[in-house]
Amino acid sequence: MELILKYFPNLTEDQINKFKLLETLYQDWNLKINVVSRKDIDELYLRHVLHSLGIAKVMQFKDGSKIMDVGTGGGFPGVPLAILYPECSFHLVDSIAKKLKVVNEVVEGLGLTNVKTTHTRVEEIDDTYDFIVSRAVAAMPTFVHWVKGKIAKEQRHDFKNGILYLKGGDLTEELQDYKTATIYDLTDYYDEDFFETKKVVHLPLKYKG
């Protein structure tokens, strides 16, 4: 928890309480339905919460923004971002039902009213969003194909609407066809060794009406 406060010192008391409660809820539910590895549960704040919040270091969502988290798994990056941005709405999507059961229980335990979840493949979602976030669920070309037509027309941010993707390693080949993509190294924001190869990729996508 100190890690979160180190990088996000201006949290409200309510946000601090929710972030504190996260660990208890995940430890409890992970014993019943294993969605996060044992090592990751022990380092939940570093490997999951702070990593998810890397998106918030790169850009800040404005109140009223709509964000979809594709392949949310155990609720990352969607749940930490939803705590940080209570005035934005988050739609967490995953094709694996047992993972969403944990997410739903965590969301309920935290009392988050700005999160909804859907058990489906993202291609089946019929809605548009300011941003689509994810943690490396597929190579970028595949991911872009999945989320085609799901970007909102109205621009609210300095960043153009599109994808904000948490990814690691060398992305040169994967992003060679995406000239508009911008890569942000998380080492520019965080000191911990864990983030040495971790990045946020912003890829603007055009609205398709």
Side-chain angles (χ1 to χ4, degrees):
M1 187 60 211
E2 290 85 44
L3 262 183
I4 308 303
L5 289 169
K6 175 182 172 183
Y7 292 108
F8 295 89
N10 301 321
L11 297 175
T12 65
E13 201 170 325
D14 181 57
Q15 287 170 321
I16 290 169
N17 290 335
K18 283 183 166 72
F19 278 123
K20 279 182 180 168
L21 187 54
L22 259 189
E23 186 172 40
T24 310
L25 289 167
Y26 274 109
Q27 283 180 335
D28 187 35
W29 276 100
N30 209 55
L31 291 172
K32 301 170 194 168
I33 305 170
N34 188 256
V35 293
V36 178
S37 76
R38 176 73 227 195
K39 185 175 182 185
D40 282 6
I41 274 288
D42 290 343
E43 296 191 54
L44 186 78
Y45 288 108
L46 174 71
R47 291 168 171 262
H48 291 284
V49 182
L50 202 58
H51 189 207
S52 297
L53 295 176
I55 288 173
K57 284 294 183 190
V58 170
M59 71 152 291
Q60 287 73 51
F61 296 123
K62 292 187 175 172
D63 289 359
S65 299
K66 277 176 69 180
I67 298 116
M68 176 164 65
D69 176 5
V70 173
T72 190
F76 302 100
V79 169
L81 289 171
I83 296 173
L84 197 63
Y85 296 105
E87 301 303 320
C88 297
S89 61
F90 290 84
H91 187 182
L92 277 50
V93 178
D94 206 287
S95 58
I96 300 171
K98 76 166 190 175
K99 291 186 175 179
L100 282 183
K101 178 165 175 50
V102 173
V103 175
N104 287 333
E105 296 294 347
V106 168
V107 165
E108 194 176 323
L110 292 171
L112 289 175
T113 55
N114 60 334
V115 175
K116 73 171 182 175
T117 63
T118 305
H119 169 225
T120 187
R121 294 173 59 201
V122 65
E123 296 95 320
E124 307 299 320
I125 300 288
D126 185 24
D127 203 353
T128 60
Y129 303 85
D130 299 298
F131 290 97
I132 295 171
V133 299
S134 189
R135 278 213 304 185
V137 292
M140 192 60 95
T142 306
F143 192 76
V144 169
H145 179 71
W146 287 350
V147 303
K148 212 172 177 178
K150 295 178 183 16
I151 297 297
K153 187 176 186 177
E154 185 193 343
Q155 302 277 345
R156 309 165 184 263
H157 301 77
D158 296 335
F159 272 56
K160 286 187 174 158
N161 292 359
I163 293 169
L164 288 163
Y165 211 46
L166 288 159
K167 203 108 203 256
D170 184 358
L171 304 176
T172 316
E173 197 176 318
E174 189 175 324
L175 297 176
Q176 63 185 3
D177 294 336
Y178 302 102
K179 305 300 179 211
T180 56
T182 309
I183 300 172
Y184 298 87
D185 292 312
L186 284 180
T187 47
D188 291 345
Y189 308 95
Y190 296 144
D191 304 330
E192 288 69 25
D193 292 345
F194 175 74
F195 298 106
E196 206 166 299
T197 63
K198 303 283 190 289
K199 302 166 176 71
V200 175
V201 180
H202 172 235
L203 179 63
L205 290 181
K206 287 193 169 68
Y207 166 77
K208 291 189 167 57

